[in-house]
Amino acid sequence: MAIHLAENITDVDWHLSYQSMECVTPYQLCLVGRCRICGGRLCMEQKPFGVNTTDDFLAALYRHLYQFHRNMGQRLSEKEFRSKFVEMFREEDKSFVTEWLARPENSHVARMYRRSVRKIYTIVHTSVDADRGSFPDPLGMGSYTDQQTARDELWRLVEKEKEEMDIHFDPDLYREEYGDDFWEAYQDGYAAAWFTRYQILECPLYSVDKKEDEKDV
């Protein structure tokens, strides 16, 4: 079917059905067109993208359609392609999609491809204890491909640090600052000389294939 479509479909169009912009699932995307041999209607449902949020759905949809049109040799200009993309949506949602396309991170398909790269989350511990002359380099405490797993481990390390401090952690002695991906404690008025911090750093995870003549280092 895929080979037949690639060789014989004309007047390519897309039919998209979805629940709402707030909750796109369940959704259905179908490729439709006309057969150049018999003139009949061709239709092929596309596989779900495996995403749930509206932002991820729009990015995956845009990448999928962009790649298809390039492979089919339909070199639409960026303006033409974006206009075609917006036209798939319901009339009341078109302004939302237009504004989504105008965001800096969605200004070009290359940026959308970079957003699809898997990420790795590394917990880094930084600390200073001037009284003891301790100024260690930042220390990696573990790397994870799942953000929630990294967060759970960060807070496990935080609780362990509190239990093992020479002076038991007491809010009257230390100040705390924290968010989903970091925690730090320091003595009020003494932050430059004593503090401890755990933070999750996020970066893309790329797969690099070695050449046959490369040696392990």
Side-chain angles (χ1 to χ4, degrees):
M1 181 64 172
I3 295 174
H4 177 65
L5 282 172
E7 293 179 347
N8 298 299
I9 193 169
T10 62
D11 302 330
V12 177
D13 203 355
W14 297 91
H15 286 179
L16 173 66
S17 61
Y18 56 95
Q19 184 167 315
S20 70
M21 283 289 92
E22 291 73 27
C23 180
V24 295
T25 56
Y27 57 83
Q28 183 184 54
L29 176 67
C30 293
L31 168 68
V32 296
R34 184 169 56 84
C35 178
R36 72 171 72 249
I37 298 174
C38 69
R41 184 175 185 267
L42 292 174
C43 179
M44 185 174 186
E45 183 177 356
Q46 308 296 290
K47 292 181 179 179
F49 301 127
V51 297
N52 295 311
T53 69
T54 299
D55 184 68
D56 288 343
F57 170 73
L58 291 175
L61 177 62
Y62 192 98
R63 293 193 304 266
H64 180 79
L65 301 187
Y66 179 86
Q67 192 62 48
F68 175 86
H69 281 285
R70 285 184 61 85
N71 290 340
M72 291 290 292
Q74 297 181 348
R75 301 304 177 104
L76 301 175
S77 69
E78 183 176 0
K79 183 177 179 180
E80 290 171 333
F81 180 78
R82 289 188 163 227
S83 177
K84 190 176 183 68
F85 183 81
V86 172
E87 286 301 314
M88 287 193 303
F89 295 86
R90 298 170 190 159
E91 196 63 37
E92 63 270 23
D93 295 328
K94 289 180 180 179
S95 61
F96 176 89
V97 177
T98 300
E99 291 175 4
W100 181 86
L101 287 171
R103 296 177 190 173
E105 65 269 26
N106 301 322
S107 61
H108 193 277
V109 69
R111 294 192 178 190
M112 294 188 198
Y113 275 111
R114 285 196 290 270
R115 288 173 57 196
S116 71
V117 174
R118 291 186 65 193
K119 296 178 181 178
I120 190 166
Y121 304 90
T122 300
I123 302 173
V124 177
H125 181 220
T126 309
S127 63
V128 164
D129 188 341
D131 288 344
R132 296 184 179 183
S134 177
F135 304 92
D137 292 331
L139 179 64
M141 306 299 292
S143 297
Y144 306 86
T145 55
D146 179 71
Q147 187 178 42
Q148 188 57 52
T149 301
R151 287 173 173 171
D152 292 343
E153 177 62 11
L154 182 146
W155 290 106
R156 187 192 72 80
L157 292 169
V158 167
E159 293 305 317
K160 181 180 178 182
E161 172 108 352
K162 290 181 179 181
E163 292 174 1
E164 296 180 353
M165 283 183 179
D166 292 339
I167 302 175
H168 183 67
F169 185 84
D170 186 334
D172 293 332
L173 298 175
Y174 303 101
R175 293 182 61 118
E176 283 185 282
E177 292 186 3
Y178 52 86
D180 290 338
D181 297 329
F182 80 94
W183 173 88
E184 69 178 16
Y186 54 91
Q187 288 178 296
D188 197 12
Y190 199 51
W194 186 93
F195 74 87
T196 179
R197 178 183 178 92
Y198 291 88
Q199 180 179 12
I200 295 176
L201 300 181
E202 175 186 314
C203 67
L205 179 62
Y206 293 99
S207 173
V208 180
D209 295 327
K210 289 184 177 181
K211 295 179 181 178
E212 292 184 0
D213 57 349
E214 275 188 331
K215 295 181 179 179
D216 291 333
V217 178

